[in-house]
């Protein structure tokens, strides 16, 4: 597309998303290319910040569905979005050159994790990848699928990551149950049994990328035994 077409599309998309974020009491920090960095809990504390963030992502998905229908009717190619969400402590305040250019923003490991989760969502083929801290605060309200335990680039401590699987459907709930059972077998290092489990899931849900990913891992580990102290953690090399 021409630069003018790209800008017009971005403005329409970003405008709609900003409205959704503000409706959910979020603060738009900045645009990063075609991405949006937003946060909750600063400058004023919000006890339900995690719930608000998840509700916002779900609302953004619904608005995107309407935008895609509109664009298709106009003969314009639609696109998809993905999200990374993490909860935790950050440093919030003004950054820049005093008297010249300053901006209020948030900085810290939690911010880095959220960015890594967003990019990792593409690797797993999911719309929204959620960190363990956010999951703990919202798992009583929303449905998730535990996907993996990963060690992000430059980090020593692994984190458990989850796919946001709302809205719930019978098919989605069945996939979650089958996947959870297969994941237990995989972490017990029963490679052949896990391979059969994930293959069975793919026979029913052929587009489920996480199941294909684990099927490939099982086939790899069958020929490459893990160490005795293997912790089941995947070292994520990409940012």
């Amino acid at each position: 597309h021409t630069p003018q077409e790209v800008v017009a599309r971005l403005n329409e998309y970003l405008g709609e998303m900003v409205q959704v974020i503000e409706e959910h009491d979020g603060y738009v920090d900045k645009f990063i290319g075609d991405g949006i960095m937003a946060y909750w809990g600063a400058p004023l504390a919000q006890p339900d910040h995690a719930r608000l963030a998840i509700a916002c992502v779900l609302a953004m998905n619904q608005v995107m569905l309407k935008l895609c229908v509109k664009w298709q009717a106009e003969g314009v190619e639609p696109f998809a979005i993905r999200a990374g969400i993490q909860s935790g402590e950050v440093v919030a305040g003004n950054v820049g050159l005093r008297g010249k250019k300053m901006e209020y923003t948030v900085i810290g490991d939690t911010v880095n994790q959220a960015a890594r989760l967003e990019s990792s969502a593409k690797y797993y083929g999911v719309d929204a990848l959620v960190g363990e801290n956010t999951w703990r605060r919202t798992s009583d309200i929303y449905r998730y699928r535990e996907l993996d335990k990963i060690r992000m680039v430059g980090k020593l401590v692994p984190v458990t990551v989850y796919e946001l699987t709302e809205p719930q459907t019978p098919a989605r709930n069945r996939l979650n149950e089958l996947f959870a059972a297969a994941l237990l077998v995989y972490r017990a290092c029963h490679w052949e049994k896990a391979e059969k489990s994930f293959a069975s899931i793919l026979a029913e849900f052929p587009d489920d990328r996480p199941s294909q990913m684990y099927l490939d891992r099982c086939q790899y580990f069958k020929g490459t035994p893990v160490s005795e102290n293997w912790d089941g953690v995947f070292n994520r090399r990409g940012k």
Side-chain angles (χ1 to χ4, degrees), residues 14-28 38-40 46 48-49 51-64 66 142:
L14 293 173
E16 292 283 351
M17 296 301 106
V18 166
Q19 289 188 60
V20 175
I21 293 168
E22 290 181 344
E23 288 168 0
H24 289 80
D25 296 332
Y27 182 86
V28 177
Y39 57 82
W40 284 256
Q46 293 168 293
D48 58 345
H49 54 84
R51 181 194 63 79
L52 287 167
I54 296 298
C56 179
V57 168
L58 293 172
M60 290 168 77
N61 287 338
Q62 292 302 310
V63 171
M64 277 302 297
K66 295 178 181 178
Y142 298 110

Side-chain angles (χ1 to χ4, degrees), residues 61-206:
N61 287 338
Q62 292 302 310
V63 171
M64 277 302 297
L65 289 175
K66 295 178 181 178
L67 277 176
C68 287
V69 170
K70 173 180 176 291
W71 290 334
Q72 286 178 325
E74 296 171 351
V76 175
E77 184 179 358
F79 59 87
I81 60 173
R82 61 178 183 265
I85 309 101
Q86 181 61 301
S87 302
E89 291 186 356
V90 298
V91 174
N94 292 319
V95 174
L97 178 61
R98 188 180 302 275
K100 292 291 185 180
K101 181 173 176 57
M102 301 284 290
E103 67 175 20
Y104 186 90
T105 189
V106 292
I107 295 175
D109 188 58
T110 299
V111 181
N112 294 338
Q113 284 192 34
R116 302 287 175 84
L117 289 169
E118 184 274 330
S119 60
S120 295
K122 183 178 182 180
Y123 169 77
Y124 290 100
V126 301
D127 294 333
L129 198 60
V130 177
E132 189 171 359
N133 291 342
T134 303
W135 171 79
R136 285 200 191 102
R137 289 170 168 82
T138 60
S139 59
D140 60 333
I141 305 173
Y142 298 110
R143 179 89 171 189
Y144 296 93
R145 170 169 59 154
E146 182 180 340
L147 284 185
D148 210 352
K149 294 181 179 180
I150 64 175
R151 189 175 287 108
M152 297 181 183
V153 176
K155 304 298 179 183
L156 296 176
V157 179
V159 295
T160 305
V161 295
Y162 300 81
E163 177 193 7
L164 177 62
T165 58
E166 298 280 353
Q168 297 181 41
T169 65
R172 166 53 76 175
N173 292 340
R174 174 168 171 75
L175 173 58
N176 285 2
E177 292 172 2
L178 293 174
F179 189 89
L183 191 58
L184 287 175
V185 178
Y186 167 85
R187 288 179 176 162
C189 302
H190 300 315
W191 309 125
E192 290 191 4
K193 185 176 179 181
E195 181 181 11
K196 291 179 181 178
S197 297
F198 287 115
S200 176
I201 294 174
L202 286 168
E204 189 171 347
F205 302 95

Side-chain angles (χ1 to χ4, degrees), residues 24-44:
H24 289 80
D25 296 332
Y27 182 86
V28 177
D29 183 274
K30 60 174 68 75
F31 300 132
I32 307 172
D34 58 357
I36 305 171
M37 175 178 166
Y39 57 82
W40 284 256
L44 299 178

Side-chain angles (χ1 to χ4, degrees), residues 139 211 228:
S139 59
S211 292
E228 292 184 0

